[in-house]
Structure formats: structure tokens, C-alpha cells
Amino acid sequence: MGAKKKARSLDPEISAEMEEEDSTSRPASKPGKVAKEHKEQLERLQEKDPEFFKFLQDHDKELLEFDDEDIDDDVDTDVEDVDMEADEEILGQDVEDGEQKPANKVITAAMVDSWCNSIRENGQLGAVRNLMRAFRTACHYGDDAGDDSSAKFSVMSSNVFNKTMLFVLSEMDGILRKLLKLPSTGGKKETIIDLMHTKQWKKYNHLVKSYLGNSLHVLNQMTDTEMISFTLRRLKFSSVFLAAFPSFLRKYVKVILHFWGTGGGALPVVSFLFLRDLCIRLGSDCLDDCFKGIYKAYILNCHFINAVKLQHIQFLSNCVVELLGVDLPTAYQHAFVFIRQLAMILRDAFNVKTKEAFRKVCEWKFINCLELWTGAICAYSSEADFTPLAYPLTQIISGVARLVPTARYFPLRLRCVRMLNRIAASTNTFIPVSMLLLDMLEMKELNRPPTGGVGKAVDLRTVLKVGKLTVKTRAFQEACVYSVVEELAEHLAQWSYSVAFFELSFIPAVRLRSFCKYTKAERFRKEMRHLIRQIEANSEFTNERRKSITFQPNDPAASFFLEDEKKSGASPLSQYVATLRLRAQQRNDSLKESSVLVGENSSIFGDKPIPASDEEEDDDTRDEQGATVFSSAWLPGSDSKTKATKEEKKKKKKTRQQPQEEDVVEDLVLSSDEDDEPMIDSDAPSSDEDEHANQVASPEPHKKQKTKNSSKKNVQQKPRNMSKKNADWRAKSKKRKRSN
């Protein structure tokens, strides 16, 4: 083409002649005529300017060796047009004279069926291309694109939409693999890279690009979780093709991470499986984007925690840990950077000591990140790649626990202690967490009698800081003391089979006895004495076996001390911890109002469990699931949206009637009525019994009072339920006043 421009600029007569012939002949000419006319133009150029023709021979032989074979693609498109015309003739879509002919704009069910049958039986390429155009129309249906004259199809019904989407998503992966001569399933990045240099890829890559691009577009438009789940499950088989389209790959990762973090039902599970499959098949091309993206998506979804959202965040954390295991060396590099960021935030809090710096540490986003990396280190503690991260993470968690040593941040400290116990158990490393727990027992808030009444039960798993009034309640004191006992017993039970258990437990036992001496709550004293007895029994258990050993404390044989007893869990502390775990589980179940793990049916797709591998799922079941998914006649702008809006309105009405649970769990401030509530005597009769007694004693006055209250609409009176003793006492006092 560059030589052709030079020829036009050097000889204006030839250029004018060529432009004339191009404008008149090309639109109506056939491919053979175009080639013949081009050759004639070159012959005239050779006669008028032989020097320039010789220049073209030396530098641009392709222009002179033009042949009819260079326009095979145009022939294919002509064949497709013929196929479309044949379909229109078969269907008998005749239009009256004087009207516009929208036949080439309408897609009918018979046309889709004919294309599908021709693909199944003969594998016709023209039918594949027509179906892909219909698929593009279905994916872009409802877009504000205006009148696009280049679009071959633009109108379809809901039935045609369902048929097109279901067939393409179910069969297109197999069709593309046959055209590109690939295995029926699987594949790696190297396979696609080698394929990109073949003739098959140059001939059919536009079909792959159209399939992936249109599917990405419709994923951004869908709102139904079942449809999105089915689409992702079918696209997962073609995920290996994304190695050839880096721009599509980044967009797919972004969309899938959004579904993973915010989706409901089975969608988070399906999205994670798609993402994991991408990392396994494409390797380094998407590992960095996936690791960074899933970490950011996790942070965005863990700003706040309540009893309902707790298990959902645990599910997200497990997914991140599972994805890190795909490539541990690469995951270590990202984990090191992210843990270092947490350390820098904590360092600023210690150095600056401002309210804003403390807030960045004592918030759910920071703590959940610590929980995430704690889970990752515990999962891969035996791997050499992740073991070095245990020490810096332990230092960060210990610093967070000591950052604000006040009673209001006891829930935060207990959470940090749990993380340290998990790291110590998984890495088999001693971490001195007993001091963090024993310091809590010596604070005045747990030694003084409660001045704030009984108070509401406090779920320490869903708060990081409590209010000033909550600290003074009896419920908070009990929750803290019982949690200290559980975590301290958990810590000591990890080393209950160690040779040095007596020395390790000596200081905790002394400080526990001191707490029993100074505390005024008998229930706390009883709990601590029970723990002390278990520690003493475990010391006797280990000391008896220490008498028969001959190795030194620094001998490697010390690590195998009481190994058989450890496997059977025979130590007194291990058995005691088992009962404490059961008690903690019962307490948490009583506090938890509802349990939701990414929707009610998070681990299933539809009504059946997700198979372990793709090969276990039959094609028939896939088609049935797809038919049920796409049978809702979903189309942008159809009646489904109106139905959805009606359902949303009903849900809004229900939510208005029912009290909503807030995700923000900051300071728990009790109301004034609850703070000033006096202690209720257990011997006093209940309000229900008093009310029943009043109704039996004086039914007529009660009726009169009810009629009076019904006449006064805006006046609200508090019911006064008096016991018989109070009534007799008031009657006697009135008599005394009269006598005086």
C-alpha cells in the first residue's frame, strides 16, 4: 500500500484514473474482476513509467504479484450472505412492496435451530459465524447503540435469546477446539502460544475473540446470580484462550473478583474456581494480577463484622489462602510486601501516637488482614517459602495487642492472643502469650464489682472496642475472664507434653493464685482454682516421666518426649481444653442469631453439589441446568425487570417492618434505661403473674380503664403491675394516715 501511494503522488494522471475506476467498479464488482482491473492498472503503469515499475519490482513484489487467492475472506462472507438469504427464503419472510425489508435484521427460532443442526451434523463454518453474530446481538441486546447499519442482526425474541445463549455457552468451546485442532479439554498457556503461530489461529482467532468479548460484555450486564454462575461455569472451559488476549484477561479477572466478593448463593464459589483455574493454566501471566486483586477485594469486603458476616469473611479468607497455594514462591513475594505495609502502619501508630494513627490499627480492615496472613502461615507452615514470615507477623500481632492497654480494647487483645496461639500451634514455636492474658486479670475493671448492672451479653468476636458503660457491666467481666481462662489453657495445653512444662507454667500459676486471693467474685475464684488444679495435675504428669530421662534439655531427643501421649491427648490440660472449647462453642451459638455462609446454599450450585472435577459432570445435566437458568426469558428491558422491581419493593417493605442489623460495630453504648436498671429480686413474682392477679381481682375497673385509654389516642400510660404485698402495704399506710 505504501508503494501504491507513491505511484499516485508521482503520476497524477494514473492516480486520477485509479481513483475513478475504484469508485465506479469496486462496490459492484466481483473479486475476480477486481483482481483483473488491478493487473491492467499495473500494466499501464509499466508503459507510462518503466523506471518506477522497476522500483516496485525491486522493493514491493507483493503488490505486483496480486492474485485472486488473496481475497478468500471476502468469498467466505459472500457465502454467509447466501446462507442468510436461503434461510430467509425457507422461512418465507416476504415483505410487501413499498415497505422496508427487515429480513436481514430479524432472528427467528427456526433460523437458530437450522444453524445449530448444521453445526452438529456437518460443522458448517458459515453457520458458526451466523450463530456468533446472533450471540453478539443477544449479548448486546438493549444497549443504546442507535441504528447500527453494520450489524447484521438486531432483533430477537426472548425464546431466541435463550436458545442462542444456551447453545453457544454449552457448545462453542468444543467447536473452537475442533477448528483449532486442540484437545477436547484442558490445555496450558504454552499450547496457546504455540497455536498463535499456526494458520488455524490466523483463520479462526476472530471467533475466539468474539466469543470471549461478547461473554465478558453480557457478564457486566447480568444481575441474576444463577445466570452468572452458569455462564462462568461454561466459560471456565475456555479460560485457556485468554492467554492470547491480555486485555480480556485483566477485565475477566476484575469482573470475577467483583462477583467473588459481593455475589450471593453459589456465585462466590463458582467465581473462585474460575479464578483458580486461570492461575493454574496461565501461570505467571495472571498470578500477579490475581494475588493483588483478590487481596484488595478481601480488604474491601471486611471493613466491618457482625455475627452474620463473620462466616462470610472466613470464607473469603479461606479462598485467598487457597489461591496463594497455587504458586508459593510468587505468593511469598506478595505476602512479604503486604505484611511490611501492616508493620509500617503499626510503627507510625507507636511513633506518632495520634488518634488517627491508632484508628488505622484498631479497625477491622487491619485486624482482618492479620487474620488472613495468620491463616496463610498456619496453612503452609511446613513449606520453606512461608515459614520466614511467621516471625515478623508475630511481632506485629504482639505490638497491636500492647498498643492500647485499656479495658475497652480487651476484645482486640483477645483476638490477637488467638492468632498467636494459632501460629504457635502450627509452627511448633513457643510464643509468650501468657503475659498478655495475665496482665488483663490485674486491671481494676476485672477486679472491682460491676457498677453498671448485669448488662447485655457481649460477643467478643464481633467487636474490637467496647463502650465505657459496657466495661462496668457484669456480662463484660464474665466474657473477659472466661475468655482469658480459655486462651491461657489453650496456650499451656500446647506445651503440656514438653519437658519444661513445670518451669513454663510456674509464673502463670503464681499470678493466677494472686488473682484468686484479691478478686471478690466467687464465680471467678472458682474458675481460676479449677484451672490451677489442672496446671498442677499436668505438672505432676510431666514430672513423673522426667525422672526416667537421661538426655539434656538442649538435646534433639527432647522434642520426642511424651510423643505417644501427645497423639492420644492424655494430658490433663488437653482434656480440660476440650471441655472449654465445647463451652465456648455453646456460648457463641447462644449469641449468634443467624448463620449465613455466602447465602443459604453457598456450597451447592442449583440443587446439586458442585462436582470435584469438570469431567464428573455430564453434558445432559449441564444442558438441563442451563435450560432452567435461561428459561426465565431474561432480556434487558423485558418483563423480568418489572418483576424484579416488584420483588425489591416487597423486600424493602419487609425490611422497614423488621429491625435492621447494622454492620458498623463500634462503641456499644447502652441506653439510659438499661444503665439505671436496678437489680431485680429473684423472689419477686413476675410481671405476667401480677397482671393475671390484677385481672382476676378487679375485672370491672380494668375494663373501664381500657375504655378510657382507648378514647385517648395520643396519651401512652405505662402499666403498673403491683404484687399483693405492695398493695397491702399501701393500704396499711393509707389507714395510718387517716387515723393520724
Side-chain angles (χ1 to χ4, degrees):
M1 295 300 294
K4 191 173 180 180
K5 291 181 180 179
K6 289 181 180 178
R8 292 186 178 182
S9 62
L10 291 174
D11 196 341
E13 295 179 1
I14 296 174
S15 63
E17 185 179 356
M18 291 173 69
E19 288 176 0
E20 253 183 81
E21 292 177 353
D22 289 344
S23 61
T24 56
S25 62
R26 282 186 181 175
S29 61
K30 294 182 179 180
K33 291 184 178 180
V34 173
K36 186 177 180 180
E37 292 173 358
H38 190 65
K39 288 181 180 179
E40 291 176 357
Q41 292 173 2
L42 293 176
E43 290 175 359
R44 288 196 296 270
L45 176 63
Q46 184 179 5
E47 294 175 359
K48 292 186 178 182
D49 195 348
E51 295 180 359
F52 183 69
F53 188 81
K54 186 178 180 181
F55 172 80
L56 292 178
Q57 286 180 338
D58 297 336
H59 295 85
D60 198 352
K61 290 184 178 181
E62 294 180 359
L63 183 64
L64 302 179
E65 294 176 357
F66 179 77
D67 196 2
D68 293 346
E69 295 179 358
D70 295 336
I71 53 172
D72 289 339
D73 295 337
D74 296 335
V75 175
D76 291 338
T77 56
D78 291 340
V79 171
E80 294 168 12
D81 295 337
V82 172
D83 292 340
M84 280 298 300
E85 291 175 2
D87 289 334
E88 293 167 7
E89 291 176 1
I90 291 171
L91 296 172
Q93 294 180 352
D94 297 329
V95 184
E96 296 179 0
D97 296 337
E99 293 182 356
Q100 264 186 336
K101 294 184 179 181
N104 62 337
K105 299 285 185 179
V106 179
I107 308 174
T108 62
M111 294 167 65
V112 175
D113 291 337
S114 64
W115 294 335
C116 295
N117 292 332
S118 61
I119 291 172
R120 289 193 183 103
E121 296 173 1
N122 305 322
Q124 291 183 0
L125 183 60
V128 174
R129 291 181 174 176
N130 285 332
L131 193 63
M132 288 305 298
R133 289 195 180 97
F135 179 67
R136 182 189 182 281
T137 303
C139 294
H140 290 264
Y141 196 91
D143 293 354
D144 297 332
D147 296 332
D148 188 4
S149 59
S150 63
K152 200 162 190 177
F153 308 123
S154 63
V155 179
M156 63 168 51
S157 62
S158 60
N159 187 25
V160 175
F161 173 85
N162 296 331
K163 284 187 176 182
T164 304
M165 295 292 294
L166 182 58
F167 182 84
V168 173
L169 291 174
S170 301
E171 304 292 339
M172 187 51 62
D173 178 72
I175 295 170
L176 293 175
R177 288 178 180 271
K178 288 180 181 179
L179 293 175
L180 298 172
K181 298 180 180 180
L182 290 175
S184 58
T185 57
K188 292 281 188 177
K189 175 184 67 174
E190 293 78 13
T191 307
I192 301 300
I193 292 176
D194 296 338
L195 180 67
M196 292 173 65
H197 302 288
T198 61
K199 293 182 180 179
Q200 287 85 0
W201 179 260
K202 294 179 180 178
K203 192 174 183 181
Y204 302 118
N205 66 342
H206 63 281
L207 294 176
V208 181
K209 188 174 182 180
S210 176
Y211 175 55
L212 296 176
N214 292 324
S215 300
L216 177 64
H217 180 80
V218 78
L219 281 175
N220 287 319
Q221 305 300 321
M222 287 181 181
T223 56
D224 185 73
T225 56
E226 291 185 4
M227 294 177 65
I228 298 172
S229 299
F230 176 79
T231 304
L232 287 179
R233 293 194 68 197
R234 300 309 308 166
L235 286 173
K236 186 165 72 75
F237 296 100
S238 305
S239 60
V240 68
F241 292 120
L242 291 172
F245 307 101
S247 60
F248 280 172
L249 177 59
R250 290 190 295 270
K251 293 177 182 178
Y252 265 97
V253 170
K254 185 177 180 180
V255 171
I256 292 167
L257 287 173
H258 173 72
F259 291 146
W260 170 75
T262 61
L267 184 56
V269 180
V270 176
S271 301
F272 173 72
L273 293 177
F274 191 106
L275 197 68
R276 185 176 179 273
D277 190 71
L278 271 180
C279 293
I280 293 174
R281 296 188 186 280
L282 303 188
S284 59
D285 286 354
C286 67
L287 279 175
D288 292 336
D289 293 338
C290 289
F291 287 163
K292 292 179 182 177
I294 199 170
Y295 184 65
K296 291 180 181 178
Y298 172 79
I299 293 174
L300 290 174
N301 287 278
C302 66
H303 279 283
F304 305 106
I305 283 184
N306 54 19
V308 178
K309 202 175 180 182
L310 189 64
Q311 292 187 0
H312 174 62
I313 293 178
Q314 184 62 41
F315 164 78
L316 297 180
S317 175
N318 293 338
C319 289
V320 178
V321 173
E322 178 69 20
L323 191 66
L324 293 174
V326 174
D327 190 345
L328 287 177
T330 306
Y332 171 81
Q333 298 175 2
H334 291 279
F336 180 84
V337 173
F338 295 140
I339 292 175
R340 184 174 178 272
Q341 290 177 354
L342 299 177
M344 294 173 66
I345 295 173
L346 180 62
R347 183 191 63 185
D348 293 341
F350 274 108
N351 294 337
V352 179
K353 295 183 179 180
T354 60
K355 187 176 181 180
E356 183 66 21
F358 287 149
R359 188 189 63 80
K360 289 182 180 179
V361 175
C362 302
E363 64 179 358
W364 279 116
K365 183 168 63 175
F366 190 92
I367 301 302
N368 283 324
C369 290
L370 293 179
E371 293 271 9
L372 171 65
W373 297 120
T374 300
I377 290 173
C378 293
Y380 307 112
S381 59
S382 59
E383 302 291 338
D385 295 313
F386 256 73
T387 305
L389 295 174
Y391 178 74
L393 185 64
T394 301
Q395 294 296 101
I396 295 172
I397 297 173
S398 301
V400 173
R402 293 184 173 89
L403 181 63
V404 187
T406 60
R408 295 183 63 188
Y409 285 91
F410 277 177
L412 174 62
R413 176 173 290 203
L414 289 170
R415 202 174 188 92
C416 293
V417 168
R418 293 190 193 99
M419 288 188 276
L420 293 175
N421 277 335
R422 288 176 60 192
I423 296 174
S426 60
T427 59
N428 197 22
T429 306
F430 176 76
I431 300 175
V433 300
S434 59
M435 297 299 106
L436 294 173
L437 297 169
L438 296 171
D439 290 343
M440 293 173 59
L441 295 177
E442 294 179 356
M443 291 187 181
K444 59 183 180 180
E445 286 81 3
L446 298 184
N447 288 318
R448 292 179 178 178
T451 58
V454 177
K456 290 184 178 180
V458 182
D459 190 357
L460 299 179
R461 303 171 304 156
T462 59
V463 293
L464 297 178
K465 181 181 70 172
V466 296
K468 294 179 180 179
L469 299 177
T470 307
V471 175
K472 302 176 182 179
T473 61
R474 175 177 175 177
F476 177 75
Q477 286 186 353
E478 290 181 352
C480 289
V481 172
Y482 292 153
S483 298
V484 167
V485 171
E486 292 164 5
E487 296 304 324
L488 185 59
E490 190 81 32
H491 166 66
L492 295 175
Q494 294 175 4
W495 307 102
S496 59
Y497 304 94
S498 174
V499 183
F501 178 79
F502 176 76
E503 291 80 9
L504 184 147
S505 61
F506 179 76
I507 294 178
V510 171
R511 296 183 67 175
L512 288 175
R513 293 190 186 95
S514 176
F515 177 79
C516 291
K517 182 178 180 181
Y518 291 106
T519 186
K520 297 181 181 180
E522 182 61 28
R523 60 188 183 281
F524 296 159
R525 189 180 295 112
K526 181 180 179 181
E527 192 73 23
M528 293 302 171
R529 285 175 178 173
H530 194 189
L531 177 58
I532 293 169
R533 285 195 296 269
Q534 297 298 327
I535 294 174
E536 292 174 349
N538 203 95
S539 297
E540 295 177 1
F541 173 76
T542 56
N543 289 338
E544 288 180 1
R545 278 121 179 121
R546 283 173 60 172
K547 296 177 183 179
S548 60
I549 63 173
T550 58
F551 52 81
Q552 299 296 325
N554 59 351
D555 196 325
S559 60
F560 299 100
F561 180 71
L562 298 179
E563 186 175 6
D564 296 335
E565 289 81 357
K566 185 176 182 180
K567 292 179 180 178
S568 60
S571 69
L573 267 177
S574 297
Q575 298 174 2
Y576 178 60
V577 165
T579 60
L580 290 180
R581 289 174 182 171
L582 182 61
R583 186 183 71 178
Q585 183 64 35
Q586 293 175 354
R587 184 173 68 250
N588 294 334
D589 291 340
S590 64
L591 293 173
K592 184 169 55 178
E593 297 178 357
S594 60
S595 176
V596 178
L597 174 63
V598 203
E600 296 179 356
N601 302 322
S602 61
S603 60
I604 60 174
F605 177 77
D607 295 331
K608 299 180 180 180
I610 297 177
S613 61
D614 299 330
E615 286 75 17
E616 294 180 5
E617 189 181 13
D618 297 333
D619 293 335
D620 296 336
T621 57
R622 293 172 185 169
D623 294 340
E624 290 176 2
Q625 289 175 353
T628 56
V629 169
F630 286 98
S631 63
S632 59
W634 178 86
L635 275 176
S638 64
D639 296 336
S640 63
K641 281 193 174 181
T642 59
K643 293 179 182 178
T645 53
K646 291 180 181 179
E647 292 178 357
E648 289 178 359
K649 289 181 180 178
K650 290 181 181 179
K651 289 181 180 179
K652 287 181 179 179
K653 289 181 180 179
K654 290 181 180 180
T655 53
R656 287 175 184 173
Q657 294 175 0
Q658 298 177 356
Q660 297 180 352
E661 295 183 356
E662 296 182 357
D663 288 341
V664 182
V665 278
E666 290 294 331
D667 298 343
L668 298 179
V669 181
L670 300 177
S671 62
S672 58
D673 295 336
E674 292 170 351
D675 293 335
D676 300 335
E677 184 181 0
M679 297 294 291
I680 300 174
D681 189 4
S682 60
D683 296 333
S686 62
S687 60
D688 295 336
E689 294 176 356
D690 294 341
E691 186 176 356
H692 180 69
N694 291 335
Q695 289 177 357
V696 174
S698 57
E700 293 180 358
H702 182 70
K703 290 181 180 179
K704 292 180 181 179
Q705 187 178 3
K706 190 173 182 181
T707 55
K708 290 180 181 179
N709 292 335
S710 61
S711 62
K712 298 179 182 180
K713 297 182 180 179
N714 298 328
V715 178
Q716 295 181 357
Q717 295 182 357
K718 295 183 179 179
R720 296 182 179 179
N721 299 324
M722 297 183 299
S723 63
K724 292 181 180 180
K725 293 181 180 180
N726 293 334
D728 295 339
W729 180 80
R730 289 188 178 184
K732 290 180 181 179
S733 62
K734 288 181 180 180
K735 288 181 181 179
R736 289 175 183 174
K737 289 181 180 179
R738 290 176 183 175
S739 61
N740 293 330

